[in-house]
Amino acid sequence: MAKKTFQKLSKEKQNTIFDGAAACFAEKGYYGASIKDICENADISNGALYKYFDNKEELFLEVLLRCQEILEEELYKKYTHIENSLKQTVEAYLNQIIKLHQKYPDYIKIYSNLGSFEADLLSDKLNQPFMESADYVYNMVQEAREKGEIKLAIDDKELSFLLDNYFILFLNSLISNYHEIRFRFFLHKKPEEALTNQDKINFILQSITPILK
Amino acid sequence: MAKKTFQKLSKEKQNTIFDGAAACFAEKGYYGASIKDICENADISNGALYKYFDNKEELFLEVLLRCQEILEEELYKKYTHIENSLKQTVEAYLNQIIKLHQKYPDYIKIYSNLGSFEADLLSDKLNQPFMESADYVYNMVQEAREKGEIKLAIDDKELSFLLDNYFILFLNSLISNYHEIRFRFFLHKKPEEALTNQDKINFILQSITPILK
Amino acid sequence: MAKKTFQKLSKEKQNTIFDGAAACFAEKGYYGASIKDICENADISNGALYKYFDNKEELFLEVLLRCQEILEEELYKKYTHIENSLKQTVEAYLNQIIKLHQKYPDYIKIYSNLGSFEADLLSDKLNQPFMESADYVYNMVQEAREKGEIKLAIDDKELSFLLDNYFILFLNSLISNYHEIRFRFFLHKKPEEALTNQDKINFILQSITPILK
Amino acid sequence: MAKKTFQKLSKEKQNTIFDGAAACFAEKGYYGASIKDICENADISNGALYKYFDNKEELFLEVLLRCQEILEEELYKKYTHIENSLKQTVEAYLNQIIKLHQKYPDYIKIYSNLGSFEADLLSDKLNQPFMESADYVYNMVQEAREKGEIKLAIDDKELSFLLDNYFILFLNSLISNYHEIRFRFFLHKKPEEALTNQDKINFILQSITPILK
DNA sequence: GATGAATGAGACTTCATTCAT
DNA sequence: AATGAATGAAGTCTCATTCAT
């Protein structure tokens, strides 16, 4: 946990610091990001950082918690209920992921790489994994079930897993070149053709259509 | 490309070196892995590494190529045809992923993190992204279609994307704590309950059953 | 240019660092001098050096500027006017070169080797070559001409070049074994005989006598 | 001294090796030149070098001896007698220096930097300094004296020193940017004006004219 | 509490030299 | 005799962290 000194700072200042750190971690990863760069990005002195956090690892963990906070605030809180159909909710959710990525690209990049090296390295320190997304999707499916929207004889758990897969890999495609190319492959896009986010959304919506009534 | 000196080594020695390097890259990522550690792991002297590769980056790229080679040899070559039903093929493929992971955990970890920081950093050097998997799955679906196995009114591209999502996220669950917990969540496993790979396979097979005849 | 951190140091500390570096560069040249040795000589930590200068090359250039500064302060500023005869001025100048060499042997050695490998290597970085000496000697001759001291029908440019040759090669004899032996040869000194600086000065003065009235 | 293995090689091969080494030493100095580069330049294997010479230092010393040999063969042997006047001999000698430099630029660069760092470092190993040039010039003056060519009341030793200064600094101007600029300064050449070797020769000849009859 | 200079271990890479083939 | 792969010490430079001000 961050030191008291840090907690006395204004929320605004705290977020400025997290933003600077997130930018560095997103660009180069945990090991690649240097304290010097982070301090410059966060607009604080080298010494100040060590007044706020014990060390680099603690700072990284705090940035991860800030990720969680952002997802909570910007994604899950906004979609507690299905307004219309499941299909529309899925579309809205995918669009919200895009907005989220536009607003917080660095945090999203860090989050989506959680499965990667560094996160595992620190996983024993991260008490509660980020299962908000999964939880949210499960609720989404349950509501749709109640509204009788689901045609296919598929279990709620299975369907929510299936949908969450789309969300995870769509998010990855915003961040990783590899996943962008993977979408491009399955959409049969030629190298010279543009691939828009709307193309990907349409593809996903098309994919789930036969599942729904 | 690796230097001549490296190519003169026996395939066995070459692989020993790749294995040592892969272990380090898998554990700590590109930036976190040190040349010193790599050399100790690979059982070569510090200087020798630089007789074999121009620098750390080239070594990493060569390890990625070795990943590709392993996947090619151990996964795709073995499943060119659907022997029985699509469902059985999916099951066999998932089991093959497990075997592959048991035999080459480090390479698989590196591969599955390709979407991450470092890989993107080097992505312009990686000429051909790893789309073998996607290609393989697409063929799998086409064959199933010809055999009239698919019930759901879903496009080949869409279904193969859906299946490939399972493969990717199943593979991730072997490697990343986060994805393991995610499976656990969707399978409604309690913290004290064990989660076996067979559980995950059954869950996936169950999920795709309504899609098939 | 040196970094701010360096410029904040006291002049004394700055010169201590330059002195340490100069000693190493004088002894082993640019490539031969190691950062480790330089830091030990300069009594600073390895890391500190890189807070002061971007890299070894910049440090070397700064040492060269310090050379220039020393020559300016200790040689040229002190002899702006011919007090007595040209001959006496030449003698005084040669003696001043000796004092300078005694006080700053390392800087003088570096300066006198400016024509050498490394300096040329860095010559595009050295904006203004060290032509102070040449300029000074030219003024010396002009003043002597005005005072009617020159007998020989020789141009000012030619005479000043001739004199500057003596100064350069006298300075070299203080530093380089080769040039010391060369003096010894022309003075017909036997191996067992001592060769003093005064011998060399007398020889030069004797040489220019027939040129003067 | 080079090992027997080296001495068994043909003179041609020996010189090829010296040439390659000289090119490296001339470009980067003793410490800056690497054995790897030298071997590539000399077109021999890394191991062969150590069959021919004990180590880098010995190789460097042998290259210096080759310098001496070249000077001997190409400069002093060709001018044992004054054919015409001293002035013409000086001119011929300066032109010969140019030719020598064109033919053996690397050796000449090394030679002219003898006064520098590395040479001193190794000076105790260099048994006989290179006084051939000085000796040659002294003879030149003695012959001129006998022929009654010298007007100025100057001693042979002094005049030969004076002349040798010209030769040394003219040679330096072919090699070092610093000495080139120095000539430019004394010749009052503007930065945009070209400075040819003939300009420098004329300047020197003009300078010595008043000394001669 | 905040600064940023200082530290020295450790990063990647190159080096002169040795030695098995 | 010749090769060039192997060595590991040492090169320059950066790093996370500490500490005097």
Side-chain angles (χ1 to χ4, degrees):
Chain A
M1 262 256 295
K3 293 183 176 179
K4 279 182 197 166
T5 328
F6 182 71
Q7 299 181 35
K8 284 185 192 162
L9 296 177
S10 69
K11 270 281 166 220
E12 202 184 349
K13 181 70 183 166
Q14 288 182 10
N15 284 341
T16 305
I17 292 169
F18 283 140
D19 289 353
C24 291
F25 287 130
E27 192 190 342
K28 300 203 166 183
Y30 177 74
Y31 289 108
S34 80
I35 295 288
K36 184 173 170 285
D37 283 351
I38 290 171
C39 290
E40 280 168 15
N41 252 295
D43 204 27
I44 57 173
S45 74
N46 200 323
L49 187 72
Y50 283 84
K51 295 274 184 232
Y52 300 150
F53 307 95
D54 279 338
N55 51 38
K56 189 179 181 181
E57 188 178 313
E58 197 200 44
L59 169 62
F60 186 61
L61 288 170
E62 292 291 326
V63 169
L64 290 184
L65 292 179
R66 174 74 185 127
C67 279
Q68 235 166 347
E69 198 179 288
I70 286 170
L71 288 170
E72 181 69 28
E73 281 173 13
E74 302 279 330
L75 202 54
Y76 312 127
K77 275 198 181 160
K78 299 199 173 173
Y79 286 83
T80 41
H81 301 294
I82 296 185
E83 301 288 335
N84 307 292
S85 67
L86 177 61
K87 199 168 174 180
Q88 284 170 317
T89 308
V90 167
E91 183 172 11
Y93 192 68
L94 290 169
N95 276 307
Q96 189 58 24
I97 286 174
I98 292 173
K99 277 187 198 157
L100 184 63
H101 175 255
Q102 283 167 345
K103 196 166 171 189
Y104 297 104
D106 297 325
Y107 292 99
I108 299 312
K109 181 156 193 190
I110 293 168
Y111 166 76
S112 91
N113 279 314
L114 255 194
S116 154
F117 310 106
E118 291 97 351
D120 272 11
L121 199 75
L122 305 172
S123 69
D124 43 344
K125 305 276 172 62
L126 253 186
N127 30 16
Q128 42 166 349
F130 290 35
M131 281 302 132
E132 309 269 356
S133 167
D135 195 44
Y136 173 71
V137 173
Y138 186 62
N139 291 333
M140 187 192 292
V141 166
Q142 279 183 310
E143 280 195 51
R145 173 80 65 193
E146 279 163 29
K147 291 166 71 179
E149 282 194 81
I150 300 163
K151 185 173 70 186
L152 201 69
I154 190 169
D155 183 313
D156 281 1
K157 296 180 291 184
E158 288 156 16
L159 180 54
S160 50
F161 182 70
L162 187 154
L163 291 180
D164 197 46
N165 288 353
Y166 284 124
F167 297 140
I168 286 183
L169 293 164
F170 177 72
L171 178 53
N172 278 358
S173 80
L174 300 178
I175 283 149
S176 139
N177 189 42
Y178 170 77
H179 286 99
E180 173 80 2
I181 291 174
R182 185 170 164 269
F183 258 96
R184 186 176 278 280
F185 176 89
F186 282 111
L187 267 81
H188 284 205
K189 283 275 181 185
K190 286 166 196 161
E192 68 277 12
E193 283 181 288
L195 173 68
T196 65
N197 285 331
Q198 196 56 50
D199 290 336
K200 293 185 265 178
I201 291 177
N202 290 341
F203 181 76
I204 292 172
L205 292 177
Q206 191 69 27
S207 297
I208 64 171
T209 301
I211 292 169
L212 307 174
K213 285 226 168 73
Chain B
M1 262 259 294
K3 293 183 175 180
K4 274 185 201 165
T5 321
F6 182 73
Q7 299 181 36
K8 283 183 193 162
L9 296 176
S10 68
K11 270 281 169 224
E12 201 184 351
K13 180 73 182 165
Q14 287 184 11
N15 285 341
T16 305
I17 291 169
F18 282 141
D19 290 351
C24 291
F25 286 132
E27 190 191 344
K28 299 202 165 185
Y30 178 74
Y31 288 111
S34 81
I35 295 290
K36 188 172 168 285
D37 284 351
I38 290 172
C39 290
E40 281 168 14
N41 250 293
D43 203 29
I44 56 174
S45 73
N46 203 320
L49 186 71
Y50 284 87
K51 295 270 187 237
Y52 299 150
F53 305 96
D54 279 336
N55 50 38
K56 190 180 181 181
E57 186 178 315
E58 199 200 44
L59 168 61
F60 186 61
L61 287 170
E62 292 291 327
V63 169
L64 290 184
L65 291 179
R66 175 76 184 123
C67 280
Q68 233 165 351
E69 200 180 285
I70 286 170
L71 287 171
E72 181 69 29
E73 282 173 11
E74 303 280 329
L75 201 54
Y76 312 126
K77 275 198 180 160
K78 300 201 171 172
Y79 286 84
T80 41
H81 300 297
I82 295 184
E83 302 287 336
N84 305 296
S85 67
L86 178 60
K87 201 168 171 177
Q88 284 170 316
T89 308
V90 167
E91 183 172 9
Y93 193 66
L94 290 169
N95 276 307
Q96 189 60 24
I97 288 174
I98 291 172
K99 277 187 201 158
L100 184 62
H101 175 255
Q102 282 166 346
K103 196 165 171 190
Y104 298 105
D106 297 324
Y107 293 98
I108 298 312
K109 181 156 191 191
I110 294 169
Y111 165 75
S112 92
N113 280 314
L114 256 194
S116 155
F117 310 105
E118 291 99 349
D120 272 13
L121 203 74
L122 305 173
S123 69
D124 45 342
K125 304 278 172 59
L126 255 186
N127 34 12
Q128 43 167 352
F130 288 37
M131 281 303 132
E132 311 267 359
S133 167
D135 196 45
Y136 174 69
V137 174
Y138 186 63
N139 291 333
M140 186 192 292
V141 166
Q142 279 183 311
E143 281 195 50
R145 172 82 64 194
E146 279 165 27
K147 291 165 70 181
E149 281 194 81
I150 299 162
K151 183 174 70 187
L152 201 68
I154 191 170
D155 183 316
D156 281 3
K157 296 180 292 184
E158 288 157 14
L159 180 54
S160 51
F161 183 69
L162 189 155
L163 290 179
D164 197 46
N165 288 353
Y166 284 124
F167 298 140
I168 286 183
L169 293 165
F170 177 73
L171 177 54
N172 279 358
S173 80
L174 300 177
I175 283 151
S176 141
N177 190 40
Y178 169 79
H179 286 99
E180 174 78 2
I181 291 175
R182 184 171 164 269
F183 258 97
R184 184 175 281 278
F185 174 89
F186 283 111
L187 268 81
H188 285 206
K189 284 278 182 184
K190 285 168 197 159
E192 68 276 13
E193 284 182 288
L195 173 69
T196 65
N197 285 332
Q198 195 55 51
D199 290 336
K200 293 185 264 178
I201 291 176
N202 290 340
F203 181 75
I204 291 172
L205 293 177
Q206 191 67 27
S207 298
I208 65 171
T209 301
I211 292 167
L212 308 173
K213 285 228 169 72
Chain C
M1 263 260 294
K3 293 184 175 179
K4 274 185 201 167
T5 321
F6 183 73
Q7 299 181 34
K8 283 184 193 162
L9 297 177
S10 68
K11 270 281 166 218
E12 201 184 348
K13 180 76 181 161
Q14 288 183 12
N15 284 340
T16 305
I17 292 169
F18 282 141
D19 290 351
C24 291
F25 286 130
E27 190 190 343
K28 298 199 164 187
Y30 178 74
Y31 289 110
S34 82
I35 296 289
K36 187 169 168 289
D37 284 350
I38 289 171
C39 289
E40 281 168 15
N41 251 292
D43 202 29
I44 55 174
S45 74
N46 202 319
L49 186 72
Y50 284 88
K51 296 268 186 240
Y52 300 150
F53 305 96
D54 279 336
N55 49 40
K56 189 181 181 181
E57 185 178 318
E58 199 200 44
L59 168 61
F60 186 61
L61 287 170
E62 292 291 325
V63 169
L64 290 185
L65 291 179
R66 175 78 184 119
C67 280
Q68 231 165 354
E69 200 180 284
I70 287 169
L71 287 170
E72 181 70 28
E73 281 173 14
E74 303 279 329
L75 202 54
Y76 311 127
K77 274 196 182 162
K78 300 200 174 175
Y79 285 84
T80 39
H81 300 295
I82 295 184
E83 301 288 334
N84 305 295
S85 67
L86 178 60
K87 200 168 174 180
Q88 283 169 316
T89 308
V90 167
E91 182 171 12
Y93 193 67
L94 290 169
N95 275 307
Q96 189 59 24
I97 287 173
I98 292 173
K99 278 188 198 158
L100 184 63
H101 175 255
Q102 283 167 344
K103 195 167 173 189
Y104 298 104
D106 297 325
Y107 293 98
I108 298 312
K109 181 158 192 189
I110 294 169
Y111 165 75
S112 92
N113 279 315
L114 256 193
S116 153
F117 310 106
E118 291 100 349
D120 272 13
L121 203 72
L122 306 171
S123 68
D124 43 344
K125 304 276 172 62
L126 254 185
N127 32 13
Q128 41 167 353
F130 289 35
M131 281 302 133
E132 309 268 358
S133 167
D135 196 44
Y136 174 69
V137 174
Y138 186 62
N139 291 332
M140 186 192 291
V141 166
Q142 279 183 311
E143 279 193 52
R145 172 80 64 196
E146 278 164 28
K147 290 167 70 180
E149 282 194 81
I150 301 162
K151 183 173 71 185
L152 202 69
I154 191 169
D155 184 315
D156 280 2
K157 296 180 291 185
E158 289 157 12
L159 179 54
S160 50
F161 182 69
L162 188 154
L163 290 180
D164 197 46
N165 289 354
Y166 284 124
F167 297 140
I168 287 183
L169 293 164
F170 177 71
L171 177 53
N172 279 358
S173 80
L174 300 178
I175 284 152
S176 138
N177 190 41
Y178 170 77
H179 285 99
E180 174 77 2
I181 291 175
R182 184 171 165 268
F183 258 96
R184 185 176 280 279
F185 175 88
F186 282 111
L187 267 79
H188 284 205
K189 284 275 180 186
K190 285 168 197 160
E192 68 276 12
E193 282 182 287
L195 174 67
T196 65
N197 285 331
Q198 195 56 51
D199 290 337
K200 293 186 262 177
I201 291 176
N202 290 341
F203 181 75
I204 293 172
L205 292 177
Q206 191 67 29
S207 299
I208 65 172
T209 301
I211 293 168
L212 306 174
K213 283 223 167 79
Chain D
M1 262 261 292
K3 292 180 174 180
K4 278 183 195 167
T5 328
F6 182 72
Q7 299 181 33
K8 284 185 191 160
L9 297 176
S10 68
K11 270 282 167 216
E12 201 182 352
K13 181 71 181 166
Q14 289 183 9
N15 285 341
T16 305
I17 292 170
F18 283 140
D19 289 352
C24 291
F25 286 130
E27 193 189 342
K28 300 201 164 185
Y30 178 74
Y31 289 108
S34 78
I35 295 288
K36 183 173 170 285
D37 283 351
I38 289 171
C39 290
E40 281 168 15
N41 252 295
D43 204 29
I44 55 173
S45 73
N46 200 324
L49 187 71
Y50 283 85
K51 295 270 185 240
Y52 300 150
F53 306 95
D54 279 335
N55 50 36
K56 190 180 180 181
E57 188 178 313
E58 196 199 47
L59 168 61
F60 186 61
L61 287 169
E62 292 292 327
V63 168
L64 290 184
L65 291 179
R66 173 77 184 123
C67 279
Q68 235 166 349
E69 197 179 291
I70 286 169
L71 287 171
E72 181 69 28
E73 282 172 12
E74 302 281 328
L75 202 54
Y76 312 127
K77 275 198 181 159
K78 300 198 174 175
Y79 285 84
T80 41
H81 300 295
I82 297 184
E83 302 287 334
N84 305 294
S85 67
L86 178 59
K87 200 169 175 179
Q88 283 169 317
T89 309
V90 167
E91 184 172 10
Y93 192 67
L94 291 169
N95 277 308
Q96 189 59 25
I97 287 174
I98 293 172
K99 277 187 199 156
L100 183 63
H101 175 254
Q102 283 167 346
K103 195 165 174 191
Y104 298 104
D106 298 325
Y107 293 98
I108 297 312
K109 182 158 192 189
I110 294 168
Y111 165 75
S112 92
N113 279 313
L114 255 194
S116 155
F117 310 107
E118 291 95 350
D120 271 12
L121 199 75
L122 307 171
S123 69
D124 44 343
K125 306 276 172 62
L126 254 185
N127 31 13
Q128 42 165 352
F130 289 35
M131 281 304 132
E132 310 268 356
S133 167
D135 195 45
Y136 173 68
V137 174
Y138 186 63
N139 292 334
M140 185 191 291
V141 166
Q142 280 183 312
E143 282 195 49
R145 173 82 62 195
E146 280 165 26
K147 291 166 69 181
E149 282 195 79
I150 299 163
K151 183 174 68 185
L152 202 69
I154 191 169
D155 184 315
D156 281 1
K157 297 180 291 185
E158 289 156 13
L159 180 54
S160 50
F161 183 68
L162 188 154
L163 290 180
D164 197 46
N165 289 353
Y166 285 122
F167 297 141
I168 286 183
L169 293 164
F170 177 73
L171 178 53
N172 280 358
S173 81
L174 299 177
I175 284 151
S176 140
N177 191 40
Y178 171 78
H179 286 99
E180 173 80 2
I181 290 174
R182 185 171 164 269
F183 257 96
R184 185 175 279 280
F185 175 89
F186 283 112
L187 268 80
H188 284 205
K189 284 276 181 185
K190 286 168 197 161
E192 69 276 11
E193 284 182 287
L195 174 68
T196 64
N197 286 331
Q198 195 55 51
D199 290 334
K200 294 185 264 179
I201 291 176
N202 290 340
F203 181 75
I204 292 171
L205 294 178
Q206 191 69 28
S207 299
I208 64 171
T209 301
I211 292 167
L212 308 174
K213 284 230 168 75

